[in-house]
Structures are given as C-alpha cells and as structure tokens.
Amino acid sequence: MDARLSSVQIQPPKYGKLITVISIDGGGIRGIIPGVILAALESELQKLDGEDVRLADYFDVMAGTSTGGLITAMLSAPDENGRPLFAAKDIVPFYVKNGPQIFPQPSGILAWASTITKALTGPRYDGKFHYKLIRDLLGNTKLHQTLTSVAIPTFDIKKLQPTIFSTYQIPRRPEIDALLSDICISTSAAPTYFPSYYFKNNDEEFNLIDGGIAANNPTLVAIREVTKEIMKENPDFAAMDPLDYGRYLVISLGAGSNRHEKKYDAKTASKWGLISWLFENNASPILDFYGEASKDMIDYHNSVVFRALHSEDMYLRIDDDTLTGDMASVDISTKENLDNLVDKGHKLLTKTVSRINLDTGFYEPVENGGSNAEALQRFAKLLSDENKLRCSCKSP
C-alpha cells in the first residue's frame, strides 16, 4: 500500500483527471442496504491499496440525506488518530445494534392503537435515544473537520427553504459550520417520525426537518456544490469547465423502495383524509411520495446528462425498487426485518447493473452491464488509479 493513502486527506482534483462523488439516499432503517454496498466498495479498494484505506480517501465529496447523512458523517468524521471514525464494514452492525432502540416497536394486542394515537398527537418517536447516540458518537466534531468535503441537506421550516450543510460553503457562511451531531439529527428529523430540530450556531438560528424534503437523493446537491466552486475559481479545481460532466465519477446509492408492490391507487387515496395521508399501512404515504419523486427526478436528470455526454459508464446508480412488506418501511426494526434488509443488500450486489427507464420509471438491466459487485470492482480501480495519479502529481 502507498503509505500516503493512510496518512493524508484526499488530494484536490486539480492533481488528477476526475471529480469523485458518492451520494447516499435517505430511508431510515433501510440505510442498511447502502451500508452493505459501501462495505463492498471499501473492500474492493482495500484489495487494491491495503486494509487501512477508507472511502474518505477517495471521494472529493460525500453527500447524504437523512439516514444517508448520518452514514456520511460516520465515514468522514475523524477519530482520535485523524482517520475516519467508522470503516464502511461497521455501518451495518451499527444499524443492527441500534435500530431497535432508535425505532422501538410497539407490542401487545393494542399496538396498532398506540401507533395511531401517537401519529395523531405527535411524532412516533421522541428521538431521545437517537439524539444521545449521535451526540456520543460525533462529540464536538464540526463540519469543517470532516476528512473530505461533505454535503448534507436539511429543510428550514421557518425560512421555508433548504439548508445545505456543505464544507465548501463554510468560508462564505461560517454559521453553517455546526456540530456534525446537530446536522445529522436535523437531516433525519422526518415529519411524523421524529420531532423537528432547533439549534443555534454562531448566532444563527436553525429550525430544521428531514433533508428528504429538499433532496432525498442528494447526488445533484453534491454536483452543484462542486460546480459552484469551479465557477468561483476555487484553486482546488484549477482550469476546469463547470459544465464538463464528463470529468465526474459518481456513485449514487439508494435505500430501496416498494415501487413494484402497487401499494396505493387513486381510487383508494381519493377517500383518504388527513390521517390516512399521514398514516396508512404502517407508513406515511405523503412522505413516501415526496421521497420517491425527489430521488427519481435526480436519477432521471443524471441518467440523461451522463448519456448525452457519452459518459454513462462513469455514473453508477445502485438501488432496489422491489422491496415488499416490512422491508419497505423506514422504521420497522424487528430482528427479522433487519436480517431481511441485510440479505437484500447482499442480493443487490449480485443483480445486474440497472438504469432507470425514463418512460416506465422502473429500473431495467443494462445490456452487458455485469453485476453491481463487478461494477464496484471497476469503479474501485478507477478510484484507486485516480488517487495514485493525484499523489504522484502532488509529490515534489
């Protein structure tokens, strides 16, 4: 292994050929699925560059929404040795261990009544365990201390606009250099599930809810942050064209959906009142709809742009739209469901690389695309070569 890879942060894009981006969707407990994929990718990188390397060594920007925002922080926050707090292989065990306490399941014959009562009177979960867990995990680490650039969207309900906690924006907006714990709690404050979250930083007040309201798939958020830096002539992106998407290497990870299950229909929904829109079939349909629309529109855009630039091989979207039953929920944390989500993630690795059909909205296999595991091997080689190139160009 090149010793430099385990001792310094990623070198800026000006020393290489690519701009590298990884993005992780929201999805609550379904964060287990991208967790499996991330572990596989990091494992491939370790085969090439040694067991000490981590994902933060390879990506210029790591973006995450909601549960993806927490994963982003875990992979990019420094430990006491200045290395990432978590290896990718530790993400799934973290969710399996803590999921049942983050999302405690009601029990007994009146469990359904308790759940509905909570839905009518406030959020399903008070968030106390969730908050303490994140604060203990991330401590006093602030946004500027991440080992690579990150972008985590939230939505400010007082300003009625998104707030993007982006490393790149700190020089111009020092008020967003908040504690990572506050950012992660905010981006995961899904309406009806967790309370909205207030905090103050550098005299700026934030009144925030789930980042999925703004961008459940934060891939374009990450690309936008880079584009703005190129336009501002950030020296890390020297002499780059802000519209040259052909230089991007993008891995976008979904947390699954139940699109194929045909869960809702217009005849049924036409009879819904407020309660049903917020709570139906142990889910919140309105949030499902917003989340699916948000992530699909981003994938539509990326698919079109990368194809138009003949760079589709540099954009990898891994998601599964065939979840059924409890697996499609964001908060069912029974042992059976957790095990099923882990299994679903591993099965997703064996599936053929798919791209969204712009007419049907379903993922369809790419001809001769190979499996997702094989695609991750290819991307790992590209990332490794890019990192070595940057290190060699940086060296005197």
Side-chain angles (χ1 to χ4, degrees):
M1 180 191 69
D2 188 334
R4 291 170 298 184
L5 289 179
S6 63
S7 61
V8 299
Q9 297 179 27
I10 184 171
Q11 298 297 335
K14 68 179 180 181
Y15 295 113
K17 296 180 179 179
L18 301 172
I19 300 170
T20 56
V21 175
I22 192 162
S23 170
I24 310 163
D25 288 9
I29 198 64
R30 301 199 313 263
I32 286 173
I33 293 175
V36 172
I37 308 302
L38 291 163
L41 175 59
E42 190 168 87
S43 176
E44 293 300 328
L45 290 166
Q46 290 170 344
K47 292 176 186 177
L48 296 169
D49 296 326
E51 62 181 13
D52 293 332
V53 300
R54 298 289 182 264
L55 292 176
D57 298 322
Y58 296 89
F59 288 99
D60 296 308
V61 192
M62 303 181 78
T65 294
S66 194
T67 199
L70 175 57
I71 293 173
T72 294
M74 293 166 69
L75 295 175
S76 63
D79 64 13
E80 64 275 8
N81 299 313
R83 295 296 293 146
L85 191 61
F86 275 68
K89 66 181 177 59
D90 299 324
I91 298 297
V92 170
F94 173 87
Y95 274 76
V96 171
K97 176 183 177 181
N98 295 294
Q101 292 167 280
I102 296 173
F103 302 110
Q105 302 298 292
S107 59
I109 59 174
L110 296 179
W112 64 273
S114 171
T115 302
I116 292 177
T117 300
K118 284 188 176 181
L120 291 174
T121 59
R124 296 192 198 183
Y125 309 103
D126 60 24
K128 291 179 181 178
F129 177 85
H130 181 52
Y131 296 176
K132 185 178 187 304
L133 178 67
I134 292 177
R135 287 169 180 150
D136 289 347
L137 180 72
L138 298 172
N140 293 319
T141 303
K142 303 192 82 171
L143 181 62
H144 78 272
Q145 294 174 287
T146 55
L147 297 175
T148 190
S149 296
V150 302
I152 301 176
T154 65
F155 189 84
D156 194 307
I157 59 175
K158 189 171 185 179
K159 297 178 181 178
L160 288 180
Q161 66 181 35
T163 296
I164 310 297
F165 289 92
S166 165
T167 312
Y168 293 119
Q169 294 187 28
I170 293 174
R172 296 179 292 277
R173 298 185 59 203
E175 70 276 8
I176 70 167
D177 188 22
L179 290 172
L180 276 180
S181 58
D182 284 333
I183 296 170
C184 287
I185 292 170
S186 300
T187 194
S188 59
T192 76
Y193 291 96
F194 288 114
S196 55
Y197 190 68
Y198 168 89
F199 70 92
K200 193 173 182 179
N201 188 57
N202 291 347
D203 296 325
E204 179 78 8
E205 292 185 332
F206 295 92
N207 299 267
L208 303 174
I209 60 172
D210 184 35
I213 299 297
N216 203 41
N217 173 348
T219 307
L220 272 188
V221 171
I223 293 175
R224 185 202 73 157
E225 291 303 300
V226 170
T227 302
K228 286 168 60 180
E229 293 306 303
I230 297 174
M231 294 174 65
K232 293 181 183 345
E233 299 183 346
N234 181 327
D236 285 347
F237 301 91
M240 291 186 178
D241 181 348
L243 298 180
D244 186 4
Y245 274 40
R247 294 192 64 165
Y248 283 90
L249 179 154
V250 177
I251 299 176
S252 177
L253 304 180
S257 72
N258 63 342
R259 200 193 322 263
H260 281 272
E261 197 176 17
K262 308 296 185 186
K263 198 171 186 180
Y264 309 111
D265 62 78
K267 288 183 179 179
T268 302
S270 67
K271 302 180 179 71
W272 287 352
L274 178 62
I275 295 175
S276 293
W277 278 101
L278 295 176
F279 184 83
E280 182 75 14
N281 291 334
N282 202 33
S284 182
I286 191 67
L287 293 183
D288 283 350
F289 301 157
Y290 275 119
E292 288 300 306
S294 172
K295 74 175 190 176
D296 284 351
M297 290 304 293
I298 300 303
D299 195 22
Y300 289 162
H301 173 88
N302 287 331
S303 294
V304 169
V305 170
F306 278 85
R307 289 182 202 177
L309 295 172
H310 307 290
S311 301
E312 55 263 49
D313 289 342
M314 301 300 284
Y315 172 64
L316 177 63
R317 174 70 174 172
I318 300 181
D319 197 9
D320 192 316
D321 56 4
T322 64
L323 302 187
T324 58
D326 289 351
M327 280 194 294
S329 170
V330 301
D331 67 329
I332 294 181
S333 58
T334 61
K335 183 181 186 306
E336 180 184 10
N337 194 48
L338 296 175
D339 290 343
N340 286 339
L341 287 169
V342 174
D343 183 60
K344 177 63 76 170
H346 286 292
K347 287 180 178 176
L348 184 54
L349 287 170
T350 67
K351 285 189 174 182
T352 302
V353 171
S354 299
R355 295 200 181 101
I356 199 160
N357 183 308
L358 303 183
D359 296 319
T360 68
F362 293 119
Y363 289 110
E364 296 181 350
V366 174
E367 186 176 358
N368 300 320
S371 68
N372 286 317
E374 291 169 336
L376 290 176
Q377 292 174 354
R378 182 173 66 83
F379 272 72
K381 183 64 166 61
L382 292 170
L383 288 164
S384 177
D385 290 346
E386 173 69 10
N387 211 332
K388 289 181 174 69
L389 174 62
R390 294 188 191 187
C391 288
S392 65
C393 291
K394 174 67 174 179
S395 299

